[in-house]
Amino acid sequence: MATPIGKGHRSLNLTLRKELNLYANVRPCYSLPGYKTRYDDVNLVTIRENTEGEYSGLEHQVVRGVVESLKIITRAASLRVAEYAFHYAKTNGRDRVSVIHKANIMQKTDGLFLKCCREVAEKYPEITYEEVVIDNCCMMLVKNPALFDVLVMPNLYGDIISDLSAGLVGGLGLTPSCNIGEGGIALAEAVHGSAPDIAGKNLANPTALLMSSVMMLRHLNFSDKAEQIQNAIVSTIAEGKYRTADLGGSSSTTEFTNAICNNL
Amino acid sequence: MARRAATLPILRRLADTAASVRLSPLLPKPDVPNARSVTYMPRPGDGAPRAVTLIPGDGIGPMVTGAVEQVMSAMHAPVYFEKYDVHGDMKRVPEEVIESIKKNKVCLKGGLKTPVGGGVSSLNVQLRKELDLYASLVNCFNLPGLPTRHEGVDIVVIRENTEGEYSGLEHEVVPGVVESLKFCSERIAKYAFEYAYLNNRKKVTAVHKANIMKLADGLFLESCREVATKYPSIKYNEIIVDNCCMQLVSKPEQFDVMVTPNLYGNLVANTAAGIAGGTGVMPGGNVGADHAVFEQGASAGNVGNEKILDQKKANPVALLLSSAMMLRHLQFPSFADRLETAVKRIIMEGKVRTKDLGGDSTTQEVVDAVISNLD
């Protein structure tokens, strides 16, 4: 849903997340076999705290020309997302969870987030736990993304790192995401924005939303159906005959979708 | 810039022919950029040696600053260093160091280790605030001869250095809830455009997240737009920070000068440095109205790790290139050119490279190679 820049109402995406208490945003990024990018060995999952941090929406103008913005970090929310991250790692057979932070500068806010993650890490001794400063993380991601497995971080860093990871594997047209809420609520959505420039022209890449629905099916425990659809998508892209514009091809949305259906 | 709006067709054709003749394939192109600093006409007395404060710092800091000292004396550059010992675990930067920088106006430093998650506030940040070094600059570019996944990268990231998320204003509201304040204002936009103008850069891109942080980043964008109107020959555009990071890893050649608030600047600078070759090679500095401090461009891992320290394999290239920037800032352009040419030559040859660039040389071997390659 489109959000006006620099003015206007609060983002509806954010409002939905707050209302439904969707506290974790999960985005798996892996290199698609058959679609070559500069990085071949990406296989990571970013888990981003979704309700607070820098995106609390609390800003005010102190005097003309000086504005303040509040970043809120709470123990409850940090514990919640850390718990989910380790739980996800365990149930999906992932060995390592890395916390991304800037606690050397923002000692109290990111420090609190770190403390919570450390507490949860102690309950999962079989999973390797590490802490990485955000700038070092960016550097490592662009030099050697294979170093990362599951990443968990507060809101702003999560936003940036998950998009960066999407860029490593081929862009926003390919990346799915799922927002997890308390009580088992899940909202699967594509990562990309509303793309007003190509709206209504049958040019958009549906892979992201299709992959998101695969995540949703897994969440609903329909893993075999999920597997089927995912394999169809991956093989269609690998074949290379039908690709939308953002992947370098010239198919329309409907052509691409039909190719996937044929591959089921 | 052409003053006349329309050229007569015949004049235009003559101009085109002249241009194509100038680029005759018979003349060989020099492999080293043509340095014309011989035309720098100093005022009498400009060659007197300048004092520069030197802070070796922690970790690999002393090794790389030592490298700079050696190269400077090999070149007989008109600078001498006033060394001060500062370590990351001190409570504050010592008063005498600040006094020295205020007197000399220019400082070169290695990284200062910052304890994670508690204790003293970062001394690096403290230094910048005390001297009001509000602009931090990193030049990320592909070095010829150094293979990377991305080509055609030549980005300058200009980052607001004193406010934003690094204001250090945090407090605990109730146990378990902490708030952090972010300030934003306008001077960084002016600096970015002025830099672009003076260095013949064509485009300035503002990086923001104003769709979410409407007031704070909204103010930042407003000031950028205002300053952009005063520089009509420089192109200006805006990009949201998450999209920006994605574009950086897929199409970095579209970026020229980027201006950002504090936190995003850190991320963007490190990402750009990573795609162009890593923290070991990117130069940079911090500048304010009265002082300038030069250090390695990208901040990640500035103090290095134990292994590199023990094996003495820290990469001095970044700090050497930063010291070349410093020499230009001090108005010693030919020394800067010679230093840069020597460094670029050894990277191009590829025989002497430290671990982060895929080789196995020690710091001292790199320094010796640079010194022997000086014109």
Side-chain angles (χ1 to χ4, degrees):
Chain A
M1 293 183 279
T3 312
I5 291 183
K7 59 175 169 28
H9 61 77
R10 194 148 163 250
S11 162
L12 291 177
N13 297 312
L14 276 193
T15 318
L16 203 58
R17 285 176 202 154
K18 270 225 141 143
E19 291 295 313
L20 294 175
N21 231 335
L22 300 171
Y23 63 87
N25 181 316
V26 183
R27 290 187 197 172
C29 293
Y30 51 90
S31 299
L32 284 172
Y35 181 59
K36 185 123 183 53
T37 57
R38 290 185 179 95
Y39 301 87
D40 297 320
D41 47 1
V42 184
N43 188 0
L44 52 90
V45 180
T46 61
I47 298 184
R48 157 195 176 191
E49 204 292 322
N50 222 358
T51 57
E52 45 173 40
E54 299 82 348
Y55 292 14
S56 310
L58 297 161
E59 294 184 303
H60 58 277
Q61 184 166 257
V62 181
V63 291
R64 203 178 142 57
V66 180
V67 288
E68 276 180 4
S69 165
L70 291 174
K71 163 178 171 169
I72 316 277
I73 299 276
T74 59
R75 195 171 147 72
S78 310
L79 278 176
R80 214 167 38 171
V81 75
E83 278 286 355
Y84 184 77
F86 279 90
H87 168 76
Y88 181 93
K90 188 153 180 201
T91 48
N92 286 276
R94 298 275 186 169
D95 322 297
R96 199 164 67 242
V97 172
S98 316
V99 176
I100 315 295
H101 65 95
K102 189 78 185 172
N104 45 349
I105 302 292
M106 288 181 272
Q107 293 169 350
K108 293 198 178 130
T109 37
D110 285 356
L112 178 58
F113 191 82
L114 268 191
K115 247 192 291 189
C116 297
C117 290
R118 281 180 197 149
E119 269 177 45
V120 178
E122 282 171 17
K123 294 196 261 174
Y124 293 81
E126 69 279 11
I127 296 183
T128 320
Y129 166 72
E130 63 175 359
E131 300 171 356
V132 186
V133 179
I134 176 82
D135 43 12
N136 202 11
C137 170
C138 284
M139 175 74 64
M140 290 292 106
L141 270 176
V142 297
K143 295 198 88 180
N144 191 3
L147 290 173
F148 291 104
D149 195 352
V150 175
L151 299 108
V152 61
M153 46 213 148
N155 214 331
L156 177 69
Y157 313 147
D159 193 0
I160 299 177
I161 297 289
S162 52
D163 276 19
L164 203 158
S165 314
L168 299 175
V169 300
L172 292 184
L174 302 175
T175 15
S177 84
C178 198
N179 298 287
I180 306 292
E182 284 182 7
I185 300 182
L187 193 156
E189 59 174 349
V191 167
H192 55 71
S194 50
D197 49 338
I198 54 169
K201 296 184 189 160
N202 202 10
L203 289 173
N205 189 343
T207 310
L209 201 54
L210 283 169
M211 294 285 218
S212 303
S213 50
V214 166
M215 283 183 83
M216 180 187 73
L217 287 173
R218 279 195 224 272
H219 182 86
L220 293 169
N221 278 329
F222 292 135
S223 327
D224 43 346
K225 296 274 189 288
E227 223 25 69
Q228 241 188 322
I229 301 182
Q230 183 165 339
N231 289 337
I233 301 175
V234 172
S235 51
T236 313
I237 296 184
E239 272 171 8
K241 269 196 305 195
Y242 295 98
R243 283 189 189 174
T244 44
D246 60 319
L247 296 182
S250 54
S251 305
S252 68
T253 313
T254 34
E255 283 170 13
F256 183 65
T257 320
N258 287 334
I260 296 179
C261 293
N262 288 337
N263 268 324
L264 274 169
Chain B
M1 279 187 286
R3 294 272 163 166
R4 286 215 198 100
T7 337
L8 292 171
I10 190 166
L11 283 177
R12 209 181 303 145
R13 206 175 314 145
L14 285 175
D16 287 342
T17 340
S20 59
V21 163
R22 235 176 285 138
L23 297 171
S24 160
L26 296 174
L27 291 167
K29 253 173 106 173
D31 63 325
V32 175
N34 202 1
R36 292 275 298 160
S37 293
V38 289
T39 55
Y40 165 61
M41 198 164 85
R43 273 188 303 211
D46 273 357
R50 287 284 304 267
V52 171
T53 312
L54 181 68
I55 300 178
D58 297 317
I60 58 168
M63 239 188 281
V64 293
T65 51
V68 172
E69 285 180 283
Q70 286 183 49
V71 174
M72 288 289 169
S73 73
M75 274 203 299
H76 304 293
V79 291
Y80 64 93
F81 293 108
E82 291 179 358
K83 235 194 282 206
Y84 287 94
D85 243 340
V86 182
H87 297 290
D89 46 12
M90 292 179 173
K91 272 204 152 31
R92 293 184 43 79
V93 178
E95 200 47 51
E96 45 171 8
V97 181
I98 306 275
E99 287 303 320
S100 163
I101 303 180
K102 285 189 176 161
K103 171 177 71 82
N104 296 332
K105 308 253 184 272
V106 176
C107 166
L108 184 70
K109 78 183 249 290
L112 293 169
K113 202 174 168 83
T114 314
V116 172
V120 279
S121 90
S122 161
L123 288 186
N124 295 311
V125 176
Q126 210 187 69
L127 197 62
R128 287 173 206 149
K129 285 217 169 136
E130 182 107 29
L131 299 168
D132 201 24
L133 304 170
Y134 65 87
S136 157
L137 200 148
V138 185
N139 184 203
C140 307
F141 55 99
N142 282 128
L143 282 158
L146 186 65
T148 52
R149 287 189 176 92
H150 303 81
E151 299 295 311
V153 181
D154 188 2
I155 301 175
V156 177
V157 181
I158 296 184
R159 155 196 179 193
E160 207 294 327
N161 220 0
T162 53
E163 7 170 272
E165 297 79 354
Y166 291 20
S167 314
L169 295 162
E170 296 182 300
H171 59 281
E172 190 165 37
V173 181
V174 292
V177 180
V178 199
E179 280 182 1
S180 167
L181 292 176
K182 158 183 171 166
F183 284 106
C184 264
S185 65
E186 312 170 300
R187 349 178 241 189
I188 194 63
K190 291 202 184 108
Y191 183 77
F193 276 90
E194 194 176 49
Y195 173 87
Y197 170 55
L198 291 171
N199 283 279
N200 196 20
R201 292 285 191 162
K202 308 287 184 268
K203 187 161 76 171
V204 173
T205 307
V207 182
H208 67 96
K209 189 79 185 176
N211 48 344
I212 302 293
M213 287 187 266
K214 294 183 197 292
L215 287 188
D217 287 357
L219 175 63
F220 171 71
L221 279 188
E222 250 181 62
S223 40
C224 289
R225 285 175 195 153
E226 221 184 283
V227 178
T229 55
K230 305 201 177 98
Y231 294 88
S233 58
I234 298 179
K235 279 200 251 181
Y236 168 71
N237 64 350
E238 300 168 357
I239 187 168
I240 300 186
V241 60
D242 43 8
N243 189 16
C244 171
C245 284
M246 196 166 57
Q247 297 293 330
L248 268 175
V249 300
S250 38
K251 291 200 216 80
E253 57 275 3
Q254 62 181 293
F255 294 110
D256 191 355
V257 175
M258 302 171 81
V259 59
T260 82
N262 211 333
L263 180 64
Y264 315 145
N266 195 0
L267 306 189
V268 169
N270 278 281
T271 310
I275 59 175
T279 36
V281 293
M282 300 298 137
N286 308 277
V287 68
D290 305 307
H291 318 283
V293 173
F294 293 88
E295 53 181 347
Q296 276 185 225
S299 59
N302 231 352
V303 289
N305 60 36
E306 297 287 315
K307 244 195 318 184
I308 298 187
L309 208 57
D310 293 330
Q311 296 171 344
K312 303 202 187 314
K313 285 184 180 171
N315 195 343
V317 172
L319 205 61
L320 283 171
L321 289 176
S322 299
S323 59
M325 284 174 73
M326 179 187 78
L327 288 170
R328 271 200 198 92
H329 182 84
L330 291 167
Q331 296 186 306
F332 299 134
S334 81
F335 290 95
D337 290 344
R338 284 165 63 199
L339 177 46
E340 272 181 5
T341 312
V343 172
K344 286 189 178 158
R345 260 196 213 132
I346 61 147
I347 300 270
M348 173 88 101
E349 281 171 11
K351 281 190 282 202
V352 195
R353 279 187 192 172
T354 46
K355 197 145 180 280
D356 56 324
L357 300 181
D360 207 25
S361 315
T362 63
T363 314
Q364 192 53 49
E365 286 170 4
V366 177
V367 173
D368 294 334
V370 171
I371 294 180
S372 62
N373 263 295
L374 284 169
D375 287 322

